[in-house]
Amino acid sequence: KEPHNRSVIASAGLIPLLYDILTSSYSQVRPAKKRQGSQGAALGSIAKERLLTQTCIVIGQFCNDDRFREQFIDMYPHTVKCLLYIFSLVQFGSALSSKCMFALKQLCASRNDQKHHIGSHAIPHLLEGLADKDIEKPTECIYQSLLLLNMLSGLFANCELMYSEGLITILEELGELPAARRSDGFYSRVGQLMQSMSEIAAATEK
């Protein structure tokens, strides 16, 4: 997590290795609605998902440095595409889904073009997952969801999309879950999003 450590590890060639792991493994995640299969195939997919979960964590940590974030976006252009594919396919609420949101949030931190690209693809799926009462949503899932939504809300077009997808109602219902109330900074992050939604509602009424 330390900047010096990231530089040393990057100089050893870890970033292209992370990219290789991501691009060679992303298509092997198990679809949320088709998670039953032969035991051998299931075990292989589980192992890949665990590897991808750790890969997402490390990519996200590297993105704390602007230069590494830019590398992932510009030199390794399929990074975001692979992460969005994984996020759209894997079971919402799983460890991989949560860490995928973390990596996506980190990748778009300083780039509005990436906020727009990630937001247009991720917001509908994210809000659908949060709204689905049949999906278990651990505290980490809720935490990462709110972090990503707050990051994406820095772009007006994303706020409009969140508003049209029913974010206000979703946040109100989310607050009733014990796991949500245990999430670090839950009420402050919800308050920030509600403020953004109020501004969109006011603009819509004009």
Side-chain angles (χ1 to χ4, degrees):
K1 294 184 178 182
E2 297 298 324
H4 173 71
N5 292 341
R6 288 194 290 268
S7 296
V8 171
I9 295 171
S11 66
L14 183 61
I15 289 180
L17 178 59
L18 290 170
Y19 188 65
D20 285 345
I21 293 172
L22 182 64
T23 55
S24 64
S25 304
Y26 79 97
S27 62
Q28 298 178 47
V29 299
R30 295 170 297 164
K33 296 180 180 179
K34 297 180 180 180
R35 299 182 73 82
Q36 301 296 324
S38 67
Q39 185 175 7
L43 290 174
S45 294
I46 291 171
K48 289 293 185 182
E49 289 175 13
R50 289 175 177 169
L51 177 62
L52 285 167
T53 299
Q54 297 305 312
T55 301
C56 288
I57 293 171
V58 179
I59 289 174
Q61 291 294 343
F62 266 112
C63 288
N64 282 311
D65 292 325
D66 290 342
R67 63 189 177 108
F68 295 134
R69 185 188 308 117
E70 295 300 316
Q71 281 186 38
F72 279 115
I73 293 172
D74 296 326
M75 295 177 61
Y76 303 100
H78 293 289
T79 302
V80 171
K81 294 177 183 177
C82 290
L83 290 171
L84 285 171
Y85 177 87
I86 293 169
F87 182 58
S88 70
L89 199 68
V90 76
Q91 178 64 53
F92 187 81
S94 66
L96 177 52
S97 175
S98 297
K99 296 310 180 184
C100 195
M101 285 191 281
F102 167 65
L104 288 168
K105 184 262 295 184
Q106 294 287 85
L107 281 161
C108 69
S110 61
R111 294 271 295 263
N112 282 343
D113 61 328
Q114 293 302 314
K115 287 178 183 176
H116 183 268
H117 176 59
I118 291 172
S120 63
H121 288 82
I123 288 170
H125 178 69
L126 197 167
L127 296 186
E128 180 183 5
L130 289 177
D132 192 334
K133 292 180 173 59
D134 293 328
I135 295 178
E136 182 180 356
K137 292 173 277 289
T139 299
E140 177 67 11
C141 168
I142 295 170
Y143 176 69
Q144 295 297 342
S145 295
L146 293 178
L147 287 179
L148 179 56
L149 286 170
N150 271 288
M151 178 64 72
L152 295 174
S153 69
L155 202 64
F156 187 78
N158 286 339
C159 288
E160 289 183 313
L161 180 56
M162 293 177 197
Y163 183 76
S164 67
E165 293 284 337
L167 178 60
I168 293 176
T169 301
I170 291 170
L171 290 177
E172 290 172 347
E173 294 177 350
L174 197 62
E176 299 174 3
L177 300 178
R181 295 193 290 270
R182 290 194 300 269
S183 177
D184 184 42
F186 174 76
Y187 293 105
S188 63
R189 293 189 174 90
V190 168
Q192 292 168 10
L193 288 168
M194 284 297 198
Q195 178 62 36
S196 297
M197 294 303 99
S198 297
E199 293 170 1
I200 293 294
T204 302
E205 292 173 358
K206 290 181 179 180

